[in-house]
Amino acid sequence: MRPARALVRGAVAALALSTAFAGAAEPGPRAYGDRPSVAQLTALGRAMFNDPGLSAGGRLACASCHDPATAFGPNAHTPSPFADADPGHAGTRAIPSLRYAQFAGRFTEHTVDDEETHGADGGPTGGFTWDGRADTAREQARIPLFDAREMGNADEAALARRVAAAPYAARFRQAFSPPGCDVFGDAKQVVAWVALAFEVYEQAPEFAPFDSRYDRFLAGRATLSPAERRGLALYRDAAKGNCETCHPSRRSSSGRAPLFTDAGFIAVGAPRRADLPPLDPSLRSPVASRARGAEVDLGLCRAGRTGLADDPSFCGRFRTPTLRNVALRASFFHNGSVHSLRDAVAFYATRDTDPARWYPRRADGGVHAYDDLPPGSVPYVDREVPFEPLPDGRPRLDDAEIDDLVAFLRTLTDADAAPAAAR
Ligand code: HEC
Ligand code: HEC
């Protein structure tokens, strides 16, 4: 785990520096007295996370979408992608669980790791959000705070005013004001501390309990049923589920608990959401899709990264999510287009053996496979096992095997969320 202490120090130094170089009109470098402790940052982060008062409409908190009772993912009443009575709020992506998100690491285009990739280039990994466009949780927190479709703060001053009016404002002032100054006099600093408090809070123990039944099984303190054990074997079998290659289930050689994601970016070709109009058939290249805005989600190639922009081989790739707590979810894949865990697993087995089950028909009667991708990106859809059919054309996994895999995935629910999973 990242040393939270060092991180706070680094961030404080960065804030002090940014003040020092801010120009002649600014006062000189501020002498910081006591630095805020991790405990203070965590407590304020937690209070802000649950505070709808930080949103422009006064109704939406981080916790409205990331419910602490369901592993900081959507609960049974939260549509995912998000939607409420306000059409301006309609989201385009499924709400992820924030548990274990802290381990994603920074985005890198080329991953070389002795243990994972044996020295070969494993391609892009890491970063926050489905397309990895934020390197740190600090940067990520600014997205919902200022996005009009989410918490809708018009600018830093607007957010700073909301923090100054919050029930915890006095604690915030006390924790973050430099000696002799009031932090609320500087909206930039307020927002920097807000973002840092979220980052530190998201590393609190409740974001990484590692106490699912599977964790207890790995520790020799629980057993798996025969179906769950069969599911685990299929999960790891490179000729059957092959889930292990992208969603690792084994401890690392240093003994670290498995995260059930390698944070890699893959195009699985998830179907287009049924409530959207079909993708424009004249779409030749990702560039042509720009005008269509949110109706086309191209993932990694459009994450704002130099070198990846508009390269069709990166379009439609999304970051592999953890499968921890996956049984709590009601919509699956980056666009939330699949609505049961069993279907999400069945998709892997039958996407290419029975495409009509997943994709709509074109006017000419043919199946429009990979219908959420521009044609130029279709050649880059992943086709390895478990997608690759058996030599005789049958799926890699039959119905009973899919059931076993689902039984295994249900062992990955953290202990505190198990009641929600049983609903
Ligand atoms: C309206 C619903 C909504 C609200 C409110 C919301 N989020 Fe999110 N959150 C999302 C969605 C959707 C994503 C995926 C975004 C993407 O891929 O671009 C996300 C992604 C994230 C991630 C990245 C997780 C990962 O695995 O990469 C973090 C961290 C996060 N949110 C924290 C927060 C914080 C902190 C707040 C409050 C300041 C917040 N969210 C408010 C819906 C929401
Ligand atoms: C080649 C890498 C790869 C393999 C192999 C793989 N996955 Fe995935 N998995 C992904 C990626 C990437 C996504 C997200 C794709 C998207 O949203 O567009 C995903 C998403 C999922 C989801 C949806 C989770 C959510 O929160 O929405 C489930 C469930 C899942 N995988 C289960 C499995 C199972 C079970 C197997 C084995 C049968 C498997 N995966 C094999 C890469 C992989």
Side-chain angles (χ1 to χ4, degrees):
M1 206 194 286
R2 252 178 291 168
R5 246 302 168 196
L7 177 152
V8 173
R9 283 215 196 90
V12 171
L15 287 173
L17 268 179
S18 73
T19 314
F21 292 113
E26 295 282 322
R30 290 176 182 171
Y32 276 80
D34 285 344
R35 289 177 174 148
S37 66
V38 168
Q40 275 174 309
L41 282 157
T42 302
L44 281 161
R46 187 181 288 115
M48 293 191 296
F49 195 87
N50 290 290
D51 181 8
L54 292 189
S55 66
R59 287 203 307 271
L60 208 53
C62 311
S64 314
C65 292
H66 304 287
D67 186 343
T70 41
F72 297 91
N75 63 34
H77 313 288
T78 319
S80 170
F82 185 75
D84 63 12
D86 182 344
H89 283 167
T92 57
R93 288 186 175 172
I95 304 168
S97 161
L98 302 187
R99 278 212 173 142
Y100 311 102
Q102 62 184 297
F103 302 109
R106 286 179 172 260
F107 176 82
T108 166
E109 194 180 337
H110 304 282
T111 310
V112 183
D113 177 318
D114 280 348
E115 194 172 328
E116 286 281 330
T117 67
H118 309 290
D121 184 355
T125 57
F128 287 85
T129 80
W130 282 103
D131 56 29
R133 72 190 181 286
D135 265 331
T136 59
R138 240 174 298 175
E139 288 167 44
Q140 189 287 325
R142 291 176 186 257
I143 303 174
L145 286 167
F146 296 107
D147 187 328
R149 282 170 309 171
E150 299 185 53
M151 296 168 75
N153 285 286
D155 52 27
E156 295 194 321
L159 175 58
R161 277 196 301 278
R162 294 199 165 92
V163 179
Y168 44 80
R171 279 193 287 149
F172 192 99
R173 174 180 288 117
Q174 189 253 325
F176 302 135
S177 293
C181 296
D182 181 351
V183 68
F184 287 116
D186 185 342
K188 243 188 170 30
Q189 298 280 323
V190 171
V191 176
W193 285 117
V194 167
L196 185 66
F198 281 129
E199 175 164 289
V200 173
Y201 169 52
E202 288 165 19
Q203 296 174 54
E206 65 252 47
F207 285 88
F210 292 106
D211 65 356
S212 67
R213 196 145 59 76
Y214 180 68
D215 290 298
R216 297 198 294 283
F217 164 75
L218 284 183
R221 290 188 282 111
T223 51
L224 298 184
S225 73
E228 291 161 354
R229 278 204 309 273
R230 287 193 303 269
L232 174 57
L234 291 162
Y235 188 98
R236 291 178 172 172
D237 184 339
K240 298 291 278 178
N242 197 29
C243 321
E244 186 73 18
T245 35
C246 304
H247 302 279
S249 70
R250 293 188 164 90
R251 287 190 195 183
S252 73
S253 59
S254 57
R256 198 166 100 149
L259 295 172
F260 287 85
T261 173
D262 63 0
F265 290 80
I266 301 287
V268 305
R272 188 161 175 79
R273 256 172 47 212
D275 59 324
L276 293 177
L279 206 72
D280 182 349
S282 69
L283 211 70
R284 292 267 175 271
S285 77
V287 186
S289 70
R290 191 165 276 158
R292 294 182 57 88
E295 285 171 15
V296 184
D297 190 344
L298 297 173
L300 182 58
C301 72
R302 204 40 73 65
R305 309 247 174 221
T306 342
L308 308 184
D310 301 327
D311 178 336
S313 73
F314 288 115
C315 295
R317 290 217 221 173
F318 292 87
R319 202 195 59 195
T320 308
T322 180
L323 298 182
R324 286 181 174 272
N325 296 303
V326 74
L328 296 171
R329 301 180 68 76
S331 37
F332 299 84
F333 300 121
H334 69 277
N335 55 5
S337 57
V338 168
H339 299 289
S340 77
L341 180 56
R342 195 182 189 286
D343 275 355
V345 178
F347 174 75
Y348 281 95
T350 63
R351 183 195 72 185
D352 292 351
T353 59
D354 185 12
R357 177 172 169 194
W358 306 104
Y359 301 110
R361 299 224 169 243
R362 298 182 195 273
D364 67 6
V367 176
H368 184 183
Y370 323 113
D371 67 327
D372 208 20
L373 289 175
S377 298
V378 167
Y380 305 99
V381 170
D382 189 89
R383 288 167 207 278
E384 286 166 278
V385 180
F387 294 117
E388 186 191 59
L390 289 166
D392 65 6
R394 281 180 305 130
R396 291 273 158 181
L397 303 161
D398 64 26
D399 280 346
E401 290 169 330
I402 292 170
D403 288 337
D404 289 344
L405 271 166
V406 171
F408 167 64
L409 294 176
R410 291 191 189 285
T411 69
L412 304 180
T413 306
D414 285 320
D416 67 330
R423 263 197 314 253

